[in-house]
Amino acid sequence: MACSTVTPPSTSFIGNKKDLNLSVFSSATPLSSQKCERKSKKICSVMSPQQSERKPATTGSVKTGMTMTEKIFARASEKTQLSPGENVWVDVDVLMTHDVCGPGSIGIFKKEFGQNAKVWDREKVVIIPDHYIFTTDERANRNVDILRDFCTEQNIKYFYDIKDLSNFKANPDYKGVCHVALAQEGHCRPGEVLLGTDSHTCTAGAFGQFATGIGNTDAGFVLGTGKLLLKVPPTLRFVMDGEMPDYLLAKDLILQIIGEISVAGGTYKAMEFVGSTVESLSMEERMTLCNMVVEAGGKNGIVPADSTTFKYLEDKTSVPYEPVYSDAKARFLKEYRFDISKLEPLVAKPHSPDNRALARECKDVKIDRVYIGSCTGGKTEDFMAAARVFLASGKKVKVPTFLVPATQKVWMDVYSLPVAGSGGKTCSQIFEEAGCDTPASPSCGACLGGPKDTYARLNEPQVCVSTTNRNFPGRMGHKEGQIYLASPYTAAASALTGYVTDPREFLQ
């Protein structure tokens, strides 16, 4: 057998780094892989290597440094040491499902464990209707009915139900978008394992926990056992330093990263975010950062818990938690470094989240509408950011601008919290003055298309600037629609001009 060692390349995926102010560095200890080729099946000779006397070890067991994700896996599998590539059974702290995947997961659970089986822990299952809610589609409505029946049967503690579709405020238990609701309701905690039947479950990694999306079959198994067999992912480390310009948001940071490593660059890898810029981000902005790691193929995104995390959790959970942090000698597959102070506002052009471009380079792209909402861009701070642009301009929007708060709490914030520098005006007042649509009922809305009567769905081949997370053909409805992914700043600026617009035109 002839063997050669192959070191992973550290080449960039973009030619002109100067314009995007990015540098890439391989980690000091790159992983190596063995590539073996069979030269001949005939054995010519066999040589035994020279043996030397082995001396007994004097240092005891050698412990290798671990990353945050590896430590969480080790704790959840009751192991003292783990390395990337190992398969382990992990104990699940929280399982979340919603109206799209919940019925399928429940069906598998009942088929495999029995019609009268009970879930492993009724207080660790969180069920959140949020996707296809405000619709007359009978099958979509049936899905919520299935969730309700199951939660009654199993006495599920955390079921955020909705019965009156005509007025979401008449449903005190209803929350809205699952990933934002999980955080607001205290289900996200450092050091834990959170699994959900939705690819953007990775959002919760902002709290320093392992969070990832799983399929219905895996969810059905977790419902019955509270465990899942998972492979330990290697970790990519993203170091972001520099003062964040006041015209950038976390959406710009993650679009930069995805544009750099591509939609496949993080496939089954943990993506760890550190650096002074990350430390300066609010929890909602960290959630945006982790939310879109799946658009790079990532298994999970993760941010070290700190005082910002602990303060956010103070009034949200009484469950004790224990943060973990990467060791100084932890091994990273690759490390990327960014000087955020030099970054400019970005968009992802159709039809891929890695089709990165500077917003100012797309100033001639005429648009038909703007959408502000979703788990990525429908949080309170996202609407505050959009309101800031509208306030600074003092103008009215030139295209229909749809606003979909992620949760009932966000909706309340839009109508109650004053915007800084506005003289006490709320987001809703500023939006009304700018000519935007009235904020809609909280849900996933048109982010993933949905039934034909879904609010703000792309039912025509239009061009849309959106704060959502995916722009594949048909994602928001019409398969010929064109979606430009952008931050709330860029989305609001584009609404004011009718073209893709750099927000610095209004913020500077």
Side-chain angles (χ1 to χ4, degrees):
M1 302 284 284
C3 296
S4 61
T5 301
V6 181
T7 302
S10 60
T11 55
S12 171
F13 284 86
I14 189 164
N16 191 351
K17 295 182 201 169
K18 184 177 180 182
D19 288 344
L20 292 169
N21 300 292
L22 173 146
S23 59
V24 184
F25 298 87
S26 293
S27 65
T29 56
L31 299 183
S32 298
S33 60
Q34 296 294 326
K35 181 180 180 183
C36 300
E37 299 177 0
R38 188 177 298 278
K39 294 298 185 183
S40 172
K41 293 183 179 179
K42 182 179 180 181
I43 299 176
C44 300
S45 64
V46 177
M47 178 179 290
S48 176
Q50 183 176 355
Q51 300 291 324
S52 59
E53 182 182 355
R54 291 191 64 185
K55 297 180 179 180
T58 58
T59 58
S61 61
V62 178
K63 185 177 180 180
T64 305
M66 290 192 289
T67 66
M68 291 177 65
T69 298
E70 290 160 9
K71 284 187 176 182
I72 294 171
F73 268 62
R75 178 188 294 172
S77 61
E78 299 182 355
K79 306 284 186 182
T80 57
Q81 186 73 41
L82 284 177
S83 299
E86 291 188 64
N87 294 297
V88 291
W89 287 99
V90 301
D91 293 323
V92 178
D93 295 293
V94 175
L95 173 70
M96 183 279 298
T97 191
H98 51 52
D99 55 296
V100 173
C101 296
S105 301
I106 291 167
I108 292 168
F109 165 71
K110 287 182 172 291
K111 177 184 176 182
E112 299 299 331
F113 292 91
Q115 290 298 315
N116 298 318
K118 293 296 183 181
V119 298
W120 100 98
D121 191 327
R122 74 176 189 86
E123 295 189 7
K124 292 186 176 182
V125 178
V126 182
I127 298 184
I128 310 177
D130 66 346
H131 275 58
Y132 304 147
I133 306 303
F134 302 102
T135 173
T136 58
D137 187 283
E138 292 182 358
R139 291 178 179 175
N141 296 335
R142 177 204 60 187
N143 277 7
V144 180
D145 293 338
I146 292 172
L147 297 184
R148 186 178 300 112
D149 292 343
F150 181 74
C151 289
T152 299
E153 168 197 306
Q154 297 286 333
N155 194 24
I156 299 298
K157 184 175 182 178
Y158 300 109
F159 172 46
Y160 300 111
D161 195 10
I162 181 167
K163 295 179 180 178
D164 185 351
L165 302 183
S166 64
N167 178 15
F168 72 89
K169 296 189 292 297
N171 303 268
D173 292 336
Y174 178 68
K175 302 304 173 187
V177 177
C178 58
H179 310 301
V180 181
L182 281 170
Q184 292 177 341
E185 299 304 313
H187 299 296
C188 301
R189 294 176 290 265
E192 292 192 352
V193 173
L194 187 156
L195 303 180
T197 57
D198 188 289
S199 61
H200 290 107
T201 302
C202 52
T203 305
F207 291 84
Q209 65 182 138
F210 176 79
T212 195
I214 59 174
N216 292 3
T217 303
D218 283 348
F221 185 83
V222 174
L223 281 171
T225 66
K227 297 178 181 291
L228 191 62
L229 183 66
L230 291 171
K231 181 165 66 175
V232 182
T235 299
L236 299 175
R237 198 173 196 227
F238 299 87
V239 184
M240 289 176 273
D241 289 312
E243 185 177 353
M244 185 97 147
D246 60 6
Y247 46 80
L248 290 184
L249 292 169
K251 182 66 167 288
D252 297 293
L253 308 189
I254 192 61
L255 289 180
Q256 170 77 337
I257 289 169
I258 297 170
E260 171 62 21
I261 69 175
S262 86
V263 290
T267 301
Y268 210 94
K269 297 177 181 68
M271 296 171 65
E272 182 175 317
F273 303 105
V274 297
S276 61
T277 307
V278 177
E279 293 167 5
S280 72
L281 296 178
S282 67
M283 283 311 303
E284 289 195 359
E285 284 285 82
R286 296 179 189 187
M287 288 167 67
T288 300
L289 197 61
C290 290
N291 172 272
M292 286 188 67
V293 300
V294 70
E295 272 68 57
K299 183 65 175 175
N300 67 297
I302 195 163
V303 175
D306 59 12
S307 58
T308 300
T309 319
F310 307 143
K311 183 174 179 58
Y312 182 93
L313 292 173
E314 278 179 0
D315 61 347
K316 294 181 174 61
T317 182
S318 59
V319 177
Y321 55 81
E322 185 178 348
V324 298
Y325 303 95
S326 292
D327 292 325
K329 294 185 179 181
R331 295 173 298 181
F332 298 96
L333 190 62
K334 188 180 289 188
E335 185 174 278
Y336 296 80
R337 290 185 173 270
F338 303 83
D339 181 354
I340 300 303
S341 66
K342 297 179 181 178
L343 190 65
E344 296 184 50
L346 297 169
V347 297
K349 300 186 294 184
H351 292 284
S352 180
D354 63 1
N355 194 9
R356 174 187 55 184
L358 297 173
R360 60 179 173 83
E361 294 175 337
C362 302
K363 59 184 177 61
D364 295 327
V365 176
K366 192 177 187 305
I367 66 173
D368 300 302
R369 54 164 57 192
V370 165
Y371 185 93
I372 300 175
S374 82
C375 56
T376 317
K379 303 177 292 299
T380 297
E381 292 177 11
D382 296 316
F383 287 103
M384 285 285 187
R388 181 186 170 201
V389 176
F390 292 136
L391 184 67
S393 73
K395 300 178 180 179
K396 288 189 176 292
V397 297
K398 293 188 175 180
V399 295
T401 302
F402 303 100
L403 312 168
V404 186
T407 65
Q408 188 157 184
K409 183 184 184 307
V410 174
W411 190 94
M412 293 297 292
D413 289 345
V414 166
Y415 277 88
S416 62
L417 296 182
V419 176
S422 69
K425 292 181 180 178
T426 64
C427 286
S428 61
Q429 291 172 313
I430 293 171
F431 294 150
E432 183 178 3
E433 291 173 0
C436 301
D437 260 35
T438 302
S441 300
S443 74
C444 293
C447 173
L448 70 165
K452 283 288 183 71
D453 62 350
T454 299
Y455 174 77
R457 185 183 190 272
L458 269 178
N459 289 324
E460 299 176 10
Q462 295 180 319
V463 179
C464 177
V465 172
S466 178
T467 64
T468 54
N469 42 57
R470 289 176 185 159
N471 58 351
F472 307 124
R475 170 65 181 183
M476 293 184 73
H478 202 286
K479 65 182 180 181
E480 294 178 13
Q482 297 185 51
I483 304 164
Y484 286 76
L485 302 179
S487 76
Y489 279 162
T490 302
S494 302
L496 290 166
T497 64
Y499 291 83
V500 174
T501 301
D502 190 314
R504 287 176 291 187
E505 289 193 18
F506 300 103
L507 294 177
Q508 287 188 336

Coordinates of all heavy atoms in Angstrom, one line a residue, residues 45 238 320 400:
S45 N 7.5 -8.9 -0.9 CA 8.3 -9.2 0.3 C 7.6 -8.6 1.5 O 6.8 -7.6 1.4 CB 9.7 -8.6 0.1 OG 9.7 -7.2 0.0
F238 N -14.5 30.9 13.1 CA -14.5 32.2 12.5 C -14.3 33.3 13.5 O -15.0 33.5 14.4 CB -15.9 32.4 11.8 CG -16.2 31.4 10.8 CD1 -16.8 30.2 11.1 CD2 -15.9 31.6 9.5 CE1 -17.0 29.2 10.2 CE2 -16.2 30.6 8.5 CZ -16.7 29.4 8.9
P320 N -31.1 25.2 35.8 CA -29.7 25.4 35.9 C -29.0 24.9 34.6 O -29.4 23.9 34.0 CB -29.3 24.5 37.1 CG -30.4 23.5 37.2 CD -31.6 24.1 36.8
P400 N -44.4 47.9 -2.5 CA -45.0 47.3 -1.4 C -44.0 46.7 -0.4 O -43.1 46.0 -0.8 CB -45.9 46.2 -2.1 CG -46.1 46.7 -3.5 CD -44.9 47.4 -3.8

